[in-house]
Amino acid sequence: MKNLFWIIVLLMFPFVSISQNLLWEGYFSYNEVRDLSESENRLFAACETALFSKNRSTSEIKTFNTVDGLTGETISTIYHSQQFNRTFVGHDNGLLIMINEATEEITLLVGIRDQAGGIPPNKKKINHIYEHNSKLYISTDFALVEFKLTDFTFGDTFYISPTGAQAEVLETTVLNEEIYAVTLNHGIRYAPLSNPNLVNFEAWQTFDAGFWKGIVTFNDQLVAINSNNIIYRFIGTSPSAVLNVGQSFLDLRSRGDKLIATTATRVVVMNESFSQIAVIQSTSIPDLTSNFTSATIIGDSIYIGTFENGVIETSITNPSTFEVLLPQGPNRNNIFSITVTPSGTLWATYGDYSQFNNPYPLDEYGISKLAQEEWLNIPYEELLGAKSIVRITVSPTNENIVYASSYFSGLLKLEDDVATTLYNTTNSGLQSLVLAGNPNYVDIRIEQTAFDKEGNLWVSNGLIANMLKVLRANGQWQSYDVSDVLGGFTSNSRMSIDKNNTKWLCTLDEGLIAFNENFSNRLIKITEGQNDGNLPSSAVQCAVIDNRNQLWIGTRRGLRVLPSVDRFLNEEELTTNSIIILDDGLAQELLFGQFITDIAVDGANNKWIGTADAGVFQFSPNGQQTLQRFTSANSPLPSNVINDIEINGTTGEVFIATSKGMVSFKGTSTKPNNNLQDVYVYPNPVRPGFDGTVKISGLTSKANVKVTDIEGNLVYEEISEGGTIEWDTTAFGKYKVASGVYMIFISTDDALDTTVKKVMIVR
């Protein structure tokens, strides 16, 4: 029955080949290396949710992430089969991915992940992969699984505990055609591979009943790591101590005539006599603070995986010079917030805090910046001690000046990527919360920040009576008391300031606050209840003003819209509305009960809405039409947990930060231009085999676009919402137009400005 199960799995889930989607781009961190593997000329590094490799002949570094076909699931191990030129990637959830290195085809092998039989989902982690005689032996948290490289199908599952129950298998090796498996609780178990009935647990015997962590074959003998963190070799069945460095060993592997042992701070290379021929200490690597995770050897080179700095390369004969192998990317995958400037520069911060606004333990992750396809990672050591940075706000007059909100240390100013001033209780109007019995405690929690149209920087200073503060353009600070309506925290979101200079602040559990100092310090709260604002929840995550001055409000239990921000000026009470849609003829509330994490508005006034567990939705301007929905199942999104969304208004690129990495979708909803001087059409010409759409960009709002054939017959017409429209090269959606030159006539909505473009289509 066990064999039959694996056959069924392969029939139900054939090889899933995923081609690269050119509409998406991945921005992943490659700092945290979980495992290494190698061929004669190539290194493979497994990171948290992505991979990279280095070709030793060409020095080319290639990356693989969800855009290339990975899933965003947490990677646990990697193994490269040189004989079959396949790389296998194991995951915490049991998923096995196979990469054909010749074709770069990626195949998802779901047999372990989807295996039933009473195996809990959290007990399917793949711990180790070992190859022998055209088979892989896959150590998992429930059993040892066989995979046949001859036809790329799963074989038997071996339950090797003394009772045949599930057992955590940590690592395997083969010596003299006997397979040895280290288990968590049952010592080292072994069996002869010649036994045709290895699926019977009684075929397995106990080699050593102690507690072991790993095992390899080296110089025709078994070498293993004991739980006492001493490496032993077995002479017969008797263990003899080989190495004790007083630290926990994380990795042990044999490569030819060398044995490599890794701890968090040390890599030791031994020869066949178990003499140490190279020792690399983390403290000997200049300018880097690194914790080692694994190490391997190719030729004379040692490659060390680290937790913070990718892979470090050095040599066995001269381990004093080091090269860092680290593809471009942000510091971490779990980005807390992102900010995109008008020129397209992206800033990323990592300062996390819980849903109850608890920032502890405090983060020291620094800040990342993406500009002109190059990443700059500014380390914490260069940020004047600012911890738990939660958001970047860019000066509207000078993009080289930004302000970083620290959820513990105050407000940090950076100029030309250098921290220059940390605003705190000593040099600004910012205040620390008061901790009873500890008068010296300083905790300045800066949450939401935004510039108004006069260039004043507004700041929410958490848990302070005068929590709303402003840094005037002249350098003076001023405070406003909003304690009548707010007793606690604002929430992690962007403060929105509308055309009337009204500030809209989201709160942790006290609704939405609106304030305008120009109208007698008017202060209004919108919260739950029909008579108090009609929000579905008082926990407001985001409030965004769209292109028609409507306020879209996301809460932990759904969505609301304030029809116009102008209502604040004339009404004492503000009431929000739900959006009612028809679903199969039934009236339903849009995103009813959904935990909404962020809302972004693109150039065509479409709404991009992120959720806590359901991915991203794109809705039409009024919310009545779902344009797209992206999840980790149908797109390169690495996770359905959406932290933040930002849009490059010029290019239409939508950046989506998730809990497991950031990707972008290259949309077409760009901001409208003021005139038609910069209209362009792409691709042009449209060549045979092209299945995409023709983009017409550089449009004004509500521009009229007509496409005709060379004889003047109309084949397409549309009114633009933003700066770009798409034509699917059909005649009003009926059939593909023939080869030829097509005229594009464009006019503004008042017909005072016109232009004509051409596009050639070749079928």
Side-chain angles (χ1 to χ4, degrees):
M1 287 301 294
K2 292 185 176 71
N3 288 338
L4 178 62
F5 168 79
W6 292 112
I7 295 172
I8 294 173
V9 165
L10 267 294
L11 291 174
M12 293 175 60
F13 299 97
F15 291 152
V16 184
S17 300
I18 304 176
S19 61
Q20 182 178 10
N21 191 332
L22 297 179
L23 292 176
W24 292 84
E25 188 161 351
Y27 303 90
F28 287 80
S29 173
Y30 298 90
N31 293 47
E32 183 182 332
V33 173
R34 301 290 184 92
D35 196 13
L36 299 173
S37 190
E38 74 289 320
S39 66
E40 285 185 356
N41 198 43
R42 198 164 173 192
L43 175 77
F44 302 87
C47 304
E48 182 185 13
T49 56
L51 312 173
F52 72 90
S53 65
K54 179 190 178 181
N55 187 309
R56 282 166 47 90
S57 297
T58 64
S59 295
E60 176 193 23
I61 292 181
K62 297 176 62 176
T63 61
F64 293 86
N65 54 53
T66 59
V67 175
D68 305 297
L70 299 186
T71 63
E73 295 294 337
T74 302
I75 296 172
S76 55
T77 190
I78 186 170
Y79 174 75
H80 177 75
S81 170
Q82 185 162 317
Q83 179 182 355
F84 293 89
N85 200 24
R86 300 291 196 280
T87 300
F88 294 87
V89 186
H91 295 76
D92 281 358
N93 69 345
L95 175 67
L96 183 67
I97 286 181
M98 179 175 69
I99 303 173
N100 184 331
E101 295 296 337
T103 64
E104 296 188 358
E105 179 183 59
I106 293 180
T107 304
L108 307 187
L109 303 166
V110 300
I112 296 174
R113 185 196 68 185
D114 293 351
Q115 185 171 0
I119 304 169
N122 64 344
K123 298 296 291 183
K124 297 180 179 181
K125 178 183 177 183
I126 296 176
N127 298 311
H128 182 255
I129 301 172
Y130 182 82
E131 181 179 357
H132 180 73
N133 284 350
S134 301
K135 292 181 180 180
L136 297 181
Y137 293 95
I138 303 172
S139 303
T140 77
D141 271 359
F142 66 92
L144 182 63
V145 178
E146 181 184 63
F147 184 82
K148 294 177 287 185
L149 293 169
T150 50
D151 58 3
F152 304 116
T153 61
F154 287 99
D156 290 320
T157 297
F158 308 117
Y159 292 89
I160 65 174
S161 75
T163 63
Q166 297 176 22
E168 293 186 32
V169 183
L170 305 180
E171 197 165 2
T172 61
T173 192
V174 172
L175 176 64
N176 298 328
E177 289 304 305
E178 290 183 320
I179 185 168
Y180 294 81
V182 170
T183 67
L184 183 65
N185 298 312
H186 306 289
I188 301 173
R189 303 277 289 169
Y190 80 108
L193 289 174
S194 59
N195 189 330
N197 196 29
L198 287 182
V199 294
N200 183 348
F201 71 92
E202 294 180 342
W204 294 78
Q205 303 297 315
T206 298
F207 176 76
D208 188 289
F211 292 92
W212 300 87
K213 297 166 60 177
I215 191 168
V216 299
T217 300
F218 178 63
N219 195 23
D220 293 327
Q221 55 195 304
L222 297 175
V223 181
I225 306 173
N226 194 270
S227 59
N228 63 6
N229 294 313
I230 298 176
I231 295 178
Y232 293 86
R233 62 172 173 157
F234 282 89
I235 302 171
T237 59
S238 301
S240 175
V242 169
L243 183 64
N244 180 5
V245 296
Q247 289 182 308
S248 176
F249 285 100
L250 304 175
D251 187 61
L252 178 69
R253 60 187 73 191
S254 62
R255 293 296 179 263
D257 60 354
K258 297 179 178 64
L259 185 70
I260 313 109
T262 306
T263 74
T265 63
R266 185 179 306 184
V267 172
V268 179
V269 181
M270 291 172 279
N271 61 18
E272 291 176 313
S273 300
F274 296 97
S275 298
Q276 298 182 27
I277 60 175
V279 178
I280 299 97
Q281 302 270 13
S282 61
T283 54
S284 66
I285 302 174
D287 304 321
L288 287 180
T289 301
S290 297
N291 290 286
F292 299 159
T293 60
S294 54
T296 193
I297 290 175
I298 308 176
D300 184 51
S301 295
I302 307 173
Y303 295 90
I304 305 171
T306 74
F307 193 79
E308 307 91 345
N309 298 296
V311 174
I312 296 172
E313 178 182 358
T314 187
S315 71
I316 297 174
T317 55
N318 183 26
S320 59
T321 59
F322 303 90
E323 179 184 354
V324 176
L325 309 179
L326 181 60
Q328 288 270 319
N331 266 334
R332 305 182 74 232
N333 283 319
N334 191 9
I335 296 174
F336 192 63
S337 74
I338 51 179
T339 300
V340 176
T341 73
S343 70
T345 296
L346 180 141
W347 291 87
T349 62
Y350 310 98
D352 198 2
Y353 54 72
S354 73
Q355 63 174 310
F356 303 108
N357 286 41
N358 179 11
Y360 288 92
L362 300 173
D363 294 330
E364 299 178 354
Y365 294 129
I367 300 171
S368 298
K369 174 186 177 182
L370 175 63
Q372 298 178 344
E373 300 183 354
E374 294 288 332
W375 281 94
L376 170 67
N377 290 306
I378 306 173
Y380 163 76
E381 291 76 14
E382 298 179 10
L383 299 181
L384 307 182
K387 301 177 185 292
S388 297
I389 293 176
V390 295
R391 191 168 298 280
I392 296 292
T393 304
V394 181
S395 168
T397 58
N398 185 350
E399 284 194 12
N400 293 321
I401 299 176
V402 303
Y403 294 83
S405 303
S406 165
Y407 205 62
F408 180 78
S409 309
L411 183 69
L412 180 67
K413 181 180 181 181
L414 295 94
E415 301 179 69
D416 296 320
D417 305 330
V418 177
T420 58
T421 307
L422 179 60
Y423 293 104
N424 51 36
T425 57
T426 67
N427 61 357
S428 72
L430 301 179
Q431 296 173 267
S432 170
L433 59 86
V434 177
L435 190 64
N438 190 352
N440 298 320
Y441 180 74
V442 177
D443 187 343
I444 310 167
R445 301 194 179 187
I446 304 304
E447 301 156 315
Q448 302 174 31
T449 52
F451 279 95
D452 65 20
K453 56 189 176 183
E454 280 81 33
N456 304 310
L457 179 60
W458 290 82
V459 177
S460 67
N461 190 172
L463 283 183
I464 304 300
N466 296 326
M467 61 80 59
L468 186 57
K469 301 183 183 297
V470 58
L471 174 59
R472 299 288 179 187
N474 62 9
Q476 299 299 309
W477 286 87
Q478 189 173 352
S479 299
Y480 294 91
D481 186 356
V482 295
S483 58
D484 286 347
V485 296
L486 179 61
F489 292 104
T490 55
S491 63
N492 171 48
S493 68
R494 297 170 183 83
M495 182 190 303
S496 292
I497 302 180
D498 66 26
K499 62 186 179 68
N500 303 315
N501 231 22
T502 302
K503 291 79 186 171
W504 300 87
L505 293 92
C506 309
T507 74
L508 175 65
D509 56 9
E510 298 179 69
L512 182 68
I513 307 300
F515 172 80
N516 195 318
E517 77 282 10
N518 298 324
F519 289 82
S520 302
N521 289 348
R522 175 176 290 180
L523 191 61
I524 296 178
K525 175 189 283 191
I526 305 173
T527 186
E528 294 178 279
Q530 289 292 332
N531 298 323
D532 295 313
N534 193 36
L535 293 182
S537 168
S538 60
V540 180
Q541 296 296 119
C542 52
V544 178
I545 302 160
D546 74 3
N547 301 343
R548 297 173 183 170
N549 291 309
Q550 293 183 325
L551 188 70
W552 287 64
I553 305 164
T555 79
R556 294 187 181 176
R557 292 201 299 270
L559 176 72
R560 288 293 185 270
V561 177
L562 183 67
S564 173
V565 295
D566 290 339
R567 293 191 176 188
F568 173 86
L569 305 179
N570 306 308
E571 301 178 13
E572 294 299 325
E573 295 181 355
L574 301 178
T575 300
T576 62
N577 302 324
S578 58
I579 296 177
I580 304 301
I581 59 173
L582 289 178
D583 187 5
D584 291 333
L586 299 175
Q588 296 189 19
E589 180 182 314
L590 183 66
L591 295 180
F592 175 78
Q594 280 285 357
F595 190 131
I596 296 173
T597 57
D598 196 26
I599 301 173
V601 180
D602 66 24
N605 209 29
N606 299 316
K607 312 304 185 296
W608 293 78
I609 299 182
T611 67
D613 58 9
V616 175
F617 297 83
Q618 184 195 19
F619 296 110
S620 60
N622 62 5
Q624 289 297 314
Q625 183 181 1
T626 301
L627 304 178
Q628 298 182 95
R629 183 188 176 190
F630 298 125
T631 68
S632 58
N634 69 2
S635 77
L637 272 185
S639 168
N640 289 328
V641 180
I642 308 303
N643 293 340
D644 208 2
I645 303 174
E646 275 274 78
I647 299 175
N648 184 326
T650 302
T651 64
E653 187 173 9
V654 182
F655 293 90
I656 305 168
T658 80
S659 61
K660 291 187 175 181
M662 181 172 70
V663 294
S664 71
F665 178 78
K666 298 176 181 178
T668 60
S669 299
T670 58
K671 290 182 179 179
N673 285 11
N674 295 324
N675 54 57
L676 299 176
Q677 293 180 0
D678 298 320
V679 172
Y680 59 98
V681 181
Y682 65 97
N684 193 6
V686 176
R687 301 185 184 278
F690 178 73
D691 292 326
T693 59
V694 171
K695 281 79 172 176
I696 305 167
S697 294
L699 303 173
T700 58
S701 178
K702 300 181 181 179
N704 180 261
V705 180
K706 296 182 179 180
V707 182
T708 73
D709 61 22
I710 201 67
E711 297 177 350
N713 298 307
L714 185 67
V715 297
Y716 180 75
E717 183 175 14
E718 185 174 346
I719 303 296
S720 67
E721 281 278 358
T724 301
I725 66 168
E726 294 181 89
W727 174 40
D728 62 2
T729 69
T730 68
F732 294 104
K734 296 179 180 179
Y735 55 84
K736 291 284 187 181
V737 297
S739 296
V741 175
Y742 290 81
M743 310 300 295
I744 303 173
F745 299 92
I746 306 166
S747 63
T748 57
D749 60 340
D750 56 12
L752 296 179
D753 191 6
T754 62
T755 190
V756 180
K757 299 292 179 181
K758 298 178 182 179
V759 61
M760 176 178 286
I761 296 178
V762 183
R763 296 301 188 193

